[in-house]
Amino acid sequence: MPGSTPMAVVEADDALWQEYRDLTVRSYGHRVEDVTRLREHGDARVAVRDGRVIGGGLVLAVPQFFGGRPVLGACLAGGCIAPEARGSRLWSTLLEERLRPLKEQGAVLATAWTASTGYGHRMGWAAPSLVYSWTVPTEELRGITDGCGFDIVHGADDQDREQQQKLAGDWNGPWQRPSWWPSWQQAEHPGMTHYRFALPGRAPDGLLAIAFDRDRADDRRLVVHDFWAATAAAATAMLGFLGRHHSRIPTVMFQRTALPPVPLLQNHLRRAGAARVTSWHPWMLRILDAAEAVRRRGWPDDLDLTLPLTLRTDDDNPSAPLLLRIASGAGDLTPHSGKQHELALSTRQFAHWYAGGYRTPAAALLDGVHGEPRSVAQLVRATADREPWMPEYF
């Protein structure tokens, strides 16, 4: 916008935030309820130019599990730029200013759901895993009985939430869900119902959250929002329970974040091609402080690793030499005076590796991680003990 004053990013008061809420309707094409519901839980910033709000968003300070430990992250939500202000390279400035307060509070990661993966890649963000929703005929799940013997109890309690957090640590990416998570989700999905699955006299091995809505043909369907299973038997019991709805509900949809990235659903289907899959835009991860992110992350107790490496923000700007050391379940990344650098990674590749997104050395090498295959294999093994999964959509 020629001749305009520079953009300023400021903390939003009520009046500015109301103006931003109106902007989100123009930008998204519909009202974004989370802009209101999540404001009290996050840092709200708006971009102002010529006395008008032209962008903004929320950032939530939420720990995420990596390597079994919670690492404080800055989770971006409800952000946008006014349509008339796009194309002026304002987003990167707004993004950095939104992240700055959370970095000052100790966040070493940043996470977002976005369709702009190419733009994110150029800024050092990685998409650690593909994201799908799965829709299956309810009849396909009918009669699954291998998980019989579980008591099914309606409702959720504090013990269930503790079990969910324990299971979340088995993956890379899940939130350490804050106290406001249940009420927020209930407001998002008013009809959501919780069930727990436990063998008699034992703590729950399975936690399920479901709701009902309608598909494009206006048929009723069952939507799975949470699917947490500690054992294969519990997962089987949960799938069988969903199949009991077959007489009135034609389909079950596992929403884009509901199903863990394992083949448990496909292996229970009776017909090839019974499941319909829909690809969604992925969650993306950026490392804000590489050394602190390595220090705070969990690592396998039996891993003993020392690797010299360099990080680069782009092809022309490598970091100073660094030394990655992991031993006895602890890791650090420190300056290194040696001249030999066994590995070279971009900041995006580092984030992908950090989340366990490289399942094999071949995948890392094909993605452009530079180094001897033996060193790349050592690097991949350090984070391959847990798969990336983001079950929280925000």
Side-chain angles (χ1 to χ4, degrees), residues 369-389:
V369 174
H370 180 74
E372 292 296 322
R374 178 178 175 276
S375 297
V376 174
Q378 289 180 298
L379 184 75
V380 168
R381 279 198 298 269
T383 59
D385 60 325
R386 288 172 169 84
E387 287 191 69
W389 179 35

Side-chain angles (χ1 to χ4, degrees), residues 341-377:
H341 310 133
E342 296 185 18
L343 292 164
L345 297 85
S346 68
T347 52
R348 179 192 61 80
Q349 291 164 342
F350 187 85
H352 199 93
W353 163 77
Y354 187 91
Y358 295 128
R359 309 308 299 162
T360 65
L365 288 165
L366 282 175
D367 192 42
V369 174
H370 180 74
E372 292 296 322
R374 178 178 175 276
S375 297
V376 174

Side-chain angles (χ1 to χ4, degrees), residues 171-185:
W171 307 87
N172 289 327
W175 279 14
Q176 187 178 51
R177 292 180 176 176
S179 59
W180 48 262
W181 169 269
S183 59
W184 170 50
Q185 284 295 287

Side-chain angles (χ1 to χ4, degrees), residues 19 52 127-128 130 162 166 182 213 240 243 267-268 317 327 361 369:
E19 190 175 344
R52 296 170 45 250
L130 297 174
E162 291 175 5
K166 179 180 177 182
D213 71 1
N267 288 345
H268 281 91
N317 293 308
V369 174

Side-chain angles (χ1 to χ4, degrees), residues 37-193:
R37 290 177 181 152
L38 290 177
R39 184 190 174 191
E40 64 178 300
H41 307 303
D43 184 273
R45 304 271 157 171
V46 294
V48 180
R49 189 170 63 182
D50 295 333
R52 296 170 45 250
V53 171
I54 62 168
L58 289 164
V59 185
L60 309 165
V62 180
Q64 294 175 250
F65 287 101
F66 288 94
R69 292 181 187 168
V71 181
L72 184 60
C75 299
L76 296 150
C80 73
I81 291 279
E84 66 273 17
R86 295 173 188 170
S88 302
R89 301 182 181 273
L90 301 178
W91 183 245
S92 58
T93 301
L94 174 57
L95 189 64
E96 294 304 319
E97 286 301 303
R98 289 172 63 195
L99 289 174
R100 180 177 51 79
L102 274 294
K103 291 168 68 174
E104 292 171 355
Q105 295 176 31
V108 297
L109 312 171
T111 307
W113 288 91
T114 179
S116 303
T117 54
Y119 188 79
H121 286 162
R122 292 193 295 273
M123 296 180 65
W125 295 74
S129 61
L130 297 174
V131 175
Y132 303 106
S133 65
W134 297 89
T135 301
V136 300
T138 314
E139 189 73 22
E140 280 292 312
L141 305 178
R142 181 185 178 188
I144 295 177
T145 58
D146 291 347
C148 62
F150 281 82
D151 292 331
I152 304 172
V153 181
H154 170 248
D157 58 21
D158 289 339
Q159 184 184 36
D160 299 336
R161 285 187 278 273
E162 291 175 5
Q163 176 70 343
Q164 183 273 327
Q165 292 295 272
K166 179 180 177 182
L167 295 175
D170 292 337
W171 307 87
N172 289 327
W175 279 14
Q176 187 178 51
R177 292 180 176 176
S179 59
W180 48 262
W181 169 269
S183 59
W184 170 50
Q185 284 295 287
Q186 206 65 49
E188 284 279 290
H189 313 289
M192 188 164 64
T193 306

Side-chain angles (χ1 to χ4, degrees), residues 306-340:
T306 301
L307 282 175
L309 57 85
T310 57
L311 299 177
R312 62 181 187 276
T313 54
D314 55 54
D315 291 338
D316 299 320
N317 293 308
S319 69
L322 299 168
L323 188 67
L324 174 66
R325 293 179 295 191
I326 303 170
S328 303
D332 62 52
L333 186 67
T334 56
H336 179 49
S337 59
K339 295 182 179 180
Q340 182 182 7

